[in-house]
Amino acid sequence: MKNLTRFTMLVTACFVLAACASKDPAPVEPAEPMEAKPTRPAEPTVTAVDPTDYTDPRNLDRGDSLLSRRVVYFDFDQARIKPEYRDIIAAHATYLGANGGARITLEGHADERGTREYNLGLGERRGNAVSDLIDAQGASASQLSVVSYGEERPANNCSQERCWSQNRRVEIVYTSQQ
Amino acid sequence: MRNFFKHACAAFCMFSSVALAQDDVVIVITPSGEAAVPIAVVPFAWSAETALREVDVTKVVTDDLSRSGQFRTLPMADMIERPSRPSDVNYGTWRRLNVDYLVIGEVTGSDTLGYGIRMHLLNVTTGDALLSLEFSSRAGGMRYTAHHIADTVYEALLDVPGFFRTRLVYVTRSGEGDNTEFSLMVADADGYGPQPVVRSKEPLLSPAWAPDGRSVAYVSFEKGNSSIYTQELASGQRQLVASFKGINGAPAFSPDGKKLALALSRSGNLEIYVMDLATRRTVQLTRHFGIDTEPAWSPDGRYVYFTSDRGGRPQIYRVEPRSGAEAERITRQGEYNARASMSPDSSQLVLVHGNDNNYKIALLDTERNILRTISDGPLDESPSFAPNGRMVLYASRRGTQGVLSAVPIYGAAAAGQTAHQLIFADGDIREPAWSPIRQ
């Protein structure tokens, strides 16, 4: 029985290999991809980056791509992710799913109202909220880390809502891009 | 900053006495209310052989008593007589000046041999000497001795220990952007002689005193994430005690100094733990998906009070580490109560009481469940009791500058509640904690 199984697997493997071989008329040789490479830069598709291709590392720094947006803002004493940030978070999740070596740190922040230690907790809760959503959309937990700075690193330093709204945030920081 | 400081000073000088402790620290004392004890500290006679009077003893004693809010000190200009011995005192003169008590004294000795300070505390009404004491001091120790004299006067008249020989720990932030520097500082309770404990480019926060006053615990971000250190002040020797994954925050020494309550999120959620400092073993006190932080011990070590938003918004709860019973909610006044600490006599909690835009310091009478605010807001934080429970120290914001304030909270002195001690410093000053009485 065992032998029969093994035989069947072998036959199947041969069939698959043959099928592959038949699609590609050139024999599999190490030199072959080397020869193909020089033709790549000449391809016209290279310059036209699709900003909605969230698997493409080049989009991380392109202003027209959601991947270049790295800050998620929150309401006062809240860690609920507002609908307008879901697309940004989904784009980063797609990127991390496609680029297994990429790593991000989610830096959670709070505005100055309330006590410092409570705000450390609030910053972490916001970081976790973004992390959980990215995790649920295809990234792996090992790619994500969360650090909370509470109210200690404000983006803007004034005691008014215009600053506070900028300070209640999670910053997505790439520590490794690919 | 200098200009702001000068203006602030000019504004206060009109009705306050200002003590220059150091170039960058100014203490502004608002006169005490009518109910405060009227006292005159007469300039001590100097027969000591000294090239330089390193410390104005009389001024230190006067400022200490004024700062406490419990004494109304007679301005020196009103002292038409300057006795230094009880036999020289003309009591009628002081009665006419409406002074109840008189402190007089003289300083003898020399720079090389050290000084002797003889002081007398006199009851103006009866003519009795309440205290006649002799202090000895090395050169360099005069300021401490002056605080000691103030402490003995305070205790003799109020029957509780004074707090003038204590210290403050606090955090300053200076510079902007990449030049931002955080410093953990220790200074005398009157703001004199600030010394850096540690400096860092990364945030420092939540300093807490060990009960013996010899070391502090604090949170540092120098490793990227938050970590908790303990540091002996005299030697500078420090130890990393908590650097788990997630938040390591809010250290609080137990009353016996053997344990540290802290807030850790190593489980994935912020919870209260107690660490045995000898074995470094931790015991988890809370288990709830809410934010649990800011633990504070009751003076008997029986309870740990903490902030939790398990009910929706932050409120104060407490647990009993030994029983392991469910957390009990303590505050129900308003929508935001946080960072509680308990008075030395266990009768009240001081905490941050707030709404969306206004955060004030409040006292909660735990027996009668009455809460009263003792500061004006809008962004007041980090309250702590003086070691004798008679004042509360906290941080507030004036524009983009941080300021420390102390307010008397006890008896007659608390009635007016306007008496403040303000320390202005260059840069941003925050998170003060008042040391225990030196042992």
Side-chain angles (χ1 to χ4, degrees):
Chain A
M1 194 58 173
K2 253 186 191 169
N3 279 342
L4 179 65
T5 313
R6 227 176 245 173
F7 178 69
T8 314
M9 285 173 71
L10 249 176
V11 168
T12 314
C14 287
F15 180 76
V16 170
L17 272 174
C20 291
S22 66
K23 268 183 194 165
D24 186 359
V28 182
E29 280 172 25
E32 195 265 345
M34 299 288 284
E35 282 166 18
K37 245 189 182 167
T39 64
R40 272 188 193 165
E43 281 173 10
T45 51
V46 171
T47 47
V49 178
D50 174 5
T52 62
D53 177 2
Y54 303 128
T55 66
D56 190 337
R58 290 171 297 184
N59 278 327
L60 286 172
D61 300 318
R62 288 179 59 104
D64 59 351
S65 175
L66 284 181
L67 282 181
S68 70
R69 294 180 58 187
R70 308 278 171 80
V71 190
V72 178
Y73 295 99
F74 293 82
D75 286 338
F76 174 62
D77 202 15
Q78 293 294 319
R80 190 183 64 86
I81 291 164
K82 294 196 265 190
E84 58 262 45
Y85 298 107
R86 291 191 171 264
D87 290 347
I88 296 172
I89 290 169
H92 289 285
T94 303
Y95 183 83
L96 292 166
N99 296 274
R103 299 280 182 275
I104 60 170
T105 296
L106 299 160
E107 297 182 351
H109 299 268
D111 71 33
E112 65 182 348
R113 290 173 292 171
T115 62
R116 290 174 188 275
E117 289 283 353
Y118 177 77
N119 284 337
L120 264 190
L122 188 55
E124 182 175 72
R125 184 184 274 171
R126 286 171 177 158
N128 285 341
V130 176
S131 179
D132 290 349
L133 198 53
I134 291 178
D135 192 20
Q137 294 179 15
S140 78
S142 65
Q143 292 176 288
L144 307 166
S145 63
V146 172
V147 61
S148 174
Y149 289 106
E151 63 177 277
E152 308 305 320
R153 290 181 176 279
N156 276 303
N157 206 355
C158 76
S159 294
Q160 290 165 33
E161 178 56 27
R162 69 183 163 83
C163 289
W164 291 334
S165 63
Q166 297 292 301
N167 294 339
R168 298 186 298 265
R169 70 200 193 277
V170 167
E171 294 191 16
I172 300 168
V173 177
Y174 277 83
T175 52
S176 167
Q177 294 202 343
Q178 287 183 62
Chain B
M1 203 54 98
R2 277 270 172 236
N3 272 342
F4 169 76
F5 155 88
K6 268 182 193 148
H7 290 141
C9 176
F12 280 104
C13 288
M14 316 213 0
F15 50 88
S16 308
S17 68
V18 174
L20 255 181
Q22 231 205 344
D23 272 3
D24 56 348
V25 183
V26 166
I27 301 155
V28 181
I29 303 159
T30 312
S32 307
E34 288 297 309
V37 177
I39 191 168
V41 184
V42 180
F44 285 18
W46 280 74
S47 59
E49 291 167 30
T50 176
L52 183 74
R53 288 189 193 182
E54 55 162 34
V55 174
D56 186 340
V57 176
T58 317
K59 183 163 172 47
V60 173
V61 174
T62 305
D63 288 347
D64 277 353
L65 296 176
S66 298
R67 265 189 309 119
S68 76
Q70 303 199 253
F71 293 92
R72 190 150 37 87
T73 54
L74 187 74
M76 228 167 272
D78 294 351
M79 299 179 191
I80 45 182
E81 290 169 16
R82 306 246 168 138
S84 62
R85 292 175 187 180
S87 55
D88 301 338
V89 174
N90 181 358
Y91 288 99
T93 305
W94 302 99
R95 278 186 213 121
R96 277 191 292 280
L97 289 165
N98 294 317
V99 167
D100 287 357
Y101 299 97
L102 199 57
V103 178
I104 58 172
E106 59 185 317
V107 184
T108 57
S110 70
D111 287 346
T112 46
L113 294 171
Y115 308 106
I117 302 115
R118 188 174 294 130
M119 66 79 75
H120 308 272
L121 171 63
L122 308 170
N123 183 327
V124 171
T125 314
T126 63
D128 292 337
L130 302 176
L131 287 175
S132 286
L133 296 171
E134 185 142 2
F135 297 82
S136 58
S137 172
R138 288 174 294 105
M142 281 295 266
R143 179 168 283 275
Y144 186 82
T145 304
H147 290 314
H148 194 175
I149 290 169
D151 274 334
T152 59
V153 171
Y154 185 100
E155 185 162 3
L157 296 180
L158 302 176
D159 215 22
V160 281
F163 46 73
F164 306 122
R165 284 170 295 163
T166 55
R167 291 187 283 179
L168 312 179
V169 63
Y170 53 89
V171 175
T172 62
R173 188 187 63 98
S174 57
E176 291 297 330
D178 289 345
N179 295 320
T180 303
E181 188 177 66
F182 295 85
S183 302
L184 185 68
M185 307 291 293
V186 168
D188 289 353
D190 60 358
Y192 183 84
Q195 295 288 326
V197 177
V198 62
R199 291 188 198 276
S200 175
K201 290 271 179 207
E202 308 301 327
L204 295 167
L205 66 158
S206 302
W209 288 96
D212 65 2
R214 290 170 201 273
S215 38
V216 291
Y218 57 90
V219 175
S220 170
F221 276 81
E222 67 200 70
K223 289 159 74 79
N225 193 6
S226 52
S227 305
I228 297 172
Y229 293 85
T230 58
Q231 185 162 339
E232 201 180 81
L233 295 174
S235 66
Q237 213 169 36
R238 70 174 194 158
Q239 292 187 306
L240 177 63
V241 295
S243 191
F244 299 103
K245 183 178 175 336
I247 293 171
N248 298 267
F253 284 95
S254 61
D256 66 5
K258 292 176 179 166
K259 295 179 189 131
L260 202 63
L262 31 87
L264 303 173
S265 67
R266 67 180 185 191
S267 68
N269 191 61
L270 197 54
E271 307 284 0
I272 307 293
Y273 293 76
V274 169
M275 176 185 278
D276 183 310
L277 283 167
T279 64
R280 298 289 167 84
R281 227 173 281 160
T282 55
V283 176
Q284 188 172 345
L285 292 192
T286 63
R287 281 181 179 76
H288 196 282
F289 58 82
I291 291 173
D292 293 339
T293 186
E294 299 168 346
W297 299 82
S298 61
D300 61 5
R302 183 172 167 193
Y303 296 104
V304 172
Y305 289 78
F306 63 99
T307 307
S308 176
D309 71 347
R310 59 185 61 194
R313 299 299 309 276
Q315 295 289 350
I316 305 301
Y317 294 74
R318 74 175 180 189
V319 283
E320 199 175 348
R322 250 173 291 173
S323 78
E326 274 293 292
E328 176 189 355
R329 182 165 168 176
I330 302 298
T331 52
R332 295 180 186 279
Q333 295 88 347
E335 59 187 31
Y336 193 112
N337 292 297
R339 206 184 191 278
S341 58
M342 195 159 234
S343 62
D345 68 359
S346 303
S347 68
Q348 44 192 355
L349 291 174
V350 67
L351 45 82
V352 177
H353 176 71
N355 59 37
D356 283 357
N357 290 325
N358 208 347
Y359 294 81
K360 299 177 177 182
I361 307 304
L363 288 170
L364 177 71
D365 181 324
T366 50
E367 202 142 288
R368 292 184 296 164
N369 202 25
I370 296 170
L371 186 132
R372 69 179 170 104
T373 57
I374 56 169
S375 78
D376 299 331
L379 289 167
D380 299 341
E381 61 174 23
S382 305
S384 70
F385 282 102
N388 69 358
R390 298 293 172 106
M391 288 190 100
V392 165
L393 175 71
Y394 60 93
S396 43
R397 296 197 72 77
R398 301 277 182 274
T400 57
Q401 195 188 31
V403 162
L404 304 189
S405 303
V407 56
I409 56 160
Y410 193 85
Q417 264 188 38
T418 47
H420 273 63
Q421 166 197 351
L422 303 176
I423 302 175
F424 292 83
D426 280 340
D428 183 5
I429 182 166
R430 73 270 288 269
E431 294 208 277
W434 209 319
S435 83
I437 288 172
R438 283 188 202 180
Q439 293 167 351

